[in-house]
Amino acid sequence: MKSPVLSAAQLHRKLDNPNLIILDCSPQSNMSGLKPEFQNTVIQNARYFDIEEDFSDLTSGLPHTLPSPEQFQENCRKLGLDNSSEIVVYDNLGIYTSPRVWWMFRVMGHEKIAVLDGGLSAWVKAGFPTQTEHDTAKKRGNFTAHFQPELVSDIDFVKQNLTKKEALIIDARSRERFNGTVPEPREGVRSGNIPGSVNIPFEEVLKDGKFKEKEELRSIFKEVNDPSKELVFSCGSGVTACILFLAGELVIDQKKSVYDGSWAEWGSREENS
């Protein structure tokens, strides 16, 4: 797909495409206190992408950890996804978990993936067709994962960067959480931030559940960005970091990755205090 973000009208015009697969990755709950505008409503023909179970590494001890390529591939095949599939992903909170899924597909080497700007709310308000239950795959797919390690950063890289300072860590949490003036919502995780990191709360790149215009996004990144460095996005558990990653993808050419463990990992280890 040409753009990583599609409007509801653009998606509606693609509905006759035989390769189109719509994925709903709406979360069961979230740490940001967001509430869906529409309940028990699904975009017509959408399949459910289970970001909590099927597409997370449940053995990691951390929330939402990127699964292995083998796990990701197998569950994509169960969803009926092919290498030729043109995927559009959305969630029921406007823009929340959908950029995480977009990033995961990119990590697994699939570039025919886009996020529905405004999510379910934008689709319903445009009067486009919905249903009450998800579709299921009629056949097993042939999706093949090709892992792209450069899009993922781990705790070792972030630790080394404390002295090397080759990357700029951008944290998507709220200013209160970043500054440590409120407690972290996860038990056993202290307050604060990664030394040397900067803060862009993910809500700042959004307006009414959609990404802001590119000129506004450029201005937001310009306030904190160092064009000479690669960018590593972090948050509480690796979800809202992907919102900033995608916003950056729209306006910045620098190398980008997501620190998958994010503050849930960094803030739970005593040696990092």
Side-chain angles (χ1 to χ4, degrees):
M1 295 189 182
K2 293 181 180 180
S3 173
V5 177
L6 292 181
S7 68
Q10 288 172 319
L11 174 56
H12 187 256
R13 290 195 290 270
K14 289 179 173 287
L15 292 184
D16 292 333
N17 182 344
N19 290 323
L20 177 68
I21 301 289
I22 302 174
L23 298 178
D24 174 7
C25 67
S26 299
Q28 301 301 316
S29 62
N30 66 86
M31 290 288 181
S32 297
L34 300 173
K35 303 292 184 184
E37 189 173 5
F38 298 98
Q39 303 274 11
N40 305 315
T41 304
V42 176
I43 291 178
Q44 190 175 70
N45 300 327
R47 303 172 191 179
Y48 185 59
F49 185 99
D50 190 345
I51 195 171
E52 298 286 348
E53 299 284 336
D54 294 345
F55 291 93
S56 287
D57 178 3
L58 301 180
T59 68
S60 74
L62 295 168
H64 312 120
T65 304
L66 187 70
S68 68
E70 293 78 16
Q71 179 185 341
F72 190 91
Q73 175 177 289
E74 173 61 18
N75 284 310
C76 281
R77 290 181 177 184
K78 288 180 179 178
L79 275 174
L81 301 181
D82 295 327
N83 294 325
S84 60
S85 295
E86 297 183 25
I87 302 167
V88 177
V89 61
Y90 77 93
D91 63 69
N92 62 5
L93 297 174
I95 294 288
Y96 193 73
T97 47
S98 50
R100 170 74 182 185
V101 177
W102 170 85
W103 172 78
M104 292 168 72
F105 273 99
R106 291 287 306 278
V107 170
M108 299 300 171
H110 191 82
E111 297 200 356
K112 295 189 284 285
I113 171 83
V115 165
L116 175 60
D117 204 16
L120 179 63
S121 293
W123 183 265
V124 172
K125 290 175 180 178
F128 296 142
T130 62
Q131 56 196 49
T132 57
E133 295 183 354
H134 294 99
D135 275 12
T136 55
K138 296 178 175 62
K139 65 175 183 63
R140 184 176 170 84
N142 63 17
F143 183 92
T144 304
H146 299 284
F147 189 66
Q148 309 295 309
E150 69 277 6
L151 297 178
V152 188
S153 289
D154 61 15
I155 193 168
D156 291 333
F157 177 88
V158 177
K159 283 183 175 179
Q160 292 168 9
N161 191 64
L162 295 179
T163 53
K164 290 186 176 181
K165 303 185 186 305
E166 295 174 345
L168 177 65
I169 314 294
I170 303 181
D171 193 318
R173 292 176 300 154
S174 69
R175 298 209 184 282
E176 292 81 9
R177 288 174 66 186
F178 180 81
N179 292 327
T181 57
V182 297
E184 279 295 303
R186 289 184 176 84
E187 186 177 350
V189 180
R190 68 179 181 280
S191 301
N193 59 68
I194 298 169
S197 61
V198 297
N199 183 217
I200 301 178
F202 75 89
E203 295 95 338
E204 290 194 4
V205 302
L206 304 175
K207 182 178 181 181
D208 300 327
K210 300 178 181 179
F211 282 105
K212 290 181 176 179
E213 297 295 329
K214 289 184 178 180
E215 185 175 335
E216 293 180 88
L217 295 178
R218 289 191 188 94
S219 178
I220 290 168
F221 281 108
K222 188 176 181 180
E223 289 184 13
V224 301
N225 190 26
D226 182 342
S228 68
K229 296 183 177 182
E230 64 179 279
L231 303 179
V232 177
F233 296 98
S234 179
C235 60
S237 65
V239 173
T240 59
C242 298
I243 298 175
L244 294 189
F245 185 110
L246 180 48
E249 190 77 354
L250 295 171
V251 296
I252 297 174
D253 292 332
Q254 289 153 261
K255 180 183 177 184
K256 306 174 201 68
S257 65
V258 169
Y259 170 26
D260 196 38
S262 281
W263 188 253
E265 179 177 47
W266 189 274
S268 63
R269 299 199 178 186
E270 291 184 6
E271 68 267 27
N272 298 329
S273 57

